[in-house]
Amino acid sequence: MATIAPFKALRYNLSKIKDMGAVCAPPYDIISPKEQEMYYGLHPNNVVRLDFGKALAGDNETTNKYSRAATLLRLWREQGLLKEDETPGLYVLAQDHQTPDGKKLRFAGVYALLKLEDYKKGGVKPHEKTLSKPKSDRYDLTSATKTNFSPIFFLYDDKKDAASKWMAAQMKAKPLLDLKSQSGERHRLWPVTSARACAPMLKQLAKAPVYIADGHHRYETMLKYSKEASGKLKARAAYTLACFAPFQSKGMVILPTHRLIVDKKGFQAAGLLSALAGDFEVREQKDLKALETAMAKAKKGKIVMGLLLPSGAYSLSLKASVSPKKAVPDKRSDAYKSLDVALLQALVLEKCLGMTPESIAAQENLVFEKSAAKSEQMIREGRAQAALLLNPTRMEQLKAVSDAKDVMPQKSTYFLPKLLTGMVLRTME
């Protein structure tokens, strides 16, 4: 089972930083270049300068965004802008956010340290494949700064609601932090430093495995880093910063990530429609809204995807005669074979479009996009040849794939909320 521990958070000094909303930022991997500039200009001590620094002309192996992050981190600590808490503890987080369709939710989680271990041990379970480039970036940053900036987001089973009740009890006190992010979300933080108060939560988290919801690249980066660390650093590098929330939480959602086909030689819309008719009932829809309605009405276990072409919108319903277990040729788990995204890859990207698992992993002629509306815009503007829309992966599907010791294709899930970077950091020095 997973090993969890309290820690001394590295936090902004509230006597020196009066507007915490100005120094926090979203996770580095969802910040656009335009947003990066905005956060740079927002405050000279914004965490983006550490977690997602700019590459500059003339950078080399010794002078680069990672070395600049290390220098800034050291300077801010010397100036007292960042201070490590004196007492170890757990940190309860509450985040009020809104889904793309306007639904208001409140998320609650707990910051703690998680002991790193290989997936094969079973205490930490992944659900998604990773890419090498993001891991290289995070490794270089970790090596230079010896700090965890963005927490890894984990899920755990809380069937009896014990952990949620514990968090609710802690949130009755006045929060240490109460801030609004640049996107208007409210974020609050409660440190819990009493060993007696922390004990029930630590006991609850240690009962079962934890599942990576968001942050596979960061986890695998830290696992590698922990194995290579030596001396005094080794003991602290054996743990990583994490945020834990129950599977049963009503305050989070999984959104789909759609696939766009771009610059593919020989692509023909009519040919794709003809090829799809072998495995799917292809029905033309009035517009994107009608397509999304048709997809949303799909019954649990029924595979319905969407297709956008310059000629219009189409729903793709898997024919009853097509067996998902036989459609995915790899030796994969039944849980994997039931996924919309797995069938999209096997029956559409590979079978109809002739792509290979290797070219898909390398994102050749493939772009990932969260917004169906933006996908439609890219089709309309001629920046994409086709858009393949997916229903979201369900929470129980994620757990089933992980429990089967399998992993989904890249970009199979997009969790909301995204944990704010800057409220709680963790240094290994």
Side-chain angles (χ1 to χ4, degrees), residues 227-360:
K227 291 177 178 179
E228 297 176 358
S230 59
K232 294 180 179 179
L233 186 63
K234 192 165 185 64
R236 300 195 78 177
Y239 289 80
T240 192
L241 177 62
C243 183
F244 300 92
F247 272 109
Q248 293 79 6
S249 171
K250 306 286 189 213
M252 60 187 177
V253 294
I254 300 177
L255 301 180
T257 301
H258 309 303
R259 273 66 171 155
L260 281 78
I261 308 302
V262 297
D263 302 325
K264 184 165 177 58
K265 291 182 179 179
F267 176 84
Q268 291 184 340
L272 175 59
L273 284 170
S274 177
L276 287 168
D279 294 313
F280 297 91
E281 297 289 347
V282 181
R283 296 185 178 89
E284 187 169 5
Q285 302 293 327
K286 181 181 178 181
D287 51 26
L288 175 59
K289 184 177 180 179
L291 172 57
E292 290 183 308
T293 299
M295 292 174 64
K297 286 183 177 180
K299 294 181 180 179
K300 187 175 179 180
K302 178 72 173 176
I303 306 295
V304 180
M305 305 175 194
L307 172 65
L308 297 176
L309 294 169
S311 59
Y314 305 84
S315 62
L316 309 175
S317 302
L318 190 69
K319 290 181 176 179
S321 59
V322 178
S323 167
K325 292 182 180 180
K326 294 179 180 179
V328 181
D330 291 344
K331 293 180 180 178
R332 309 301 296 262
S333 65
D334 288 349
Y336 176 93
K337 293 179 180 182
S338 71
L339 298 171
D340 294 41
V341 66
L343 289 162
L344 173 109
Q345 180 157 321
L347 296 179
V348 183
L349 299 183
E350 295 180 16
K351 185 176 179 179
C352 293
L353 290 170
M355 302 172 80
T356 65
E358 292 75 23
S359 67
I360 293 168

Side-chain angles (χ1 to χ4, degrees), residues 21 23-27 31 39 46-48 419-422:
V23 296
C24 293
I31 297 177
Y39 284 106
N46 190 283
V47 72
V48 77
L419 303 175
L420 197 64
T421 299

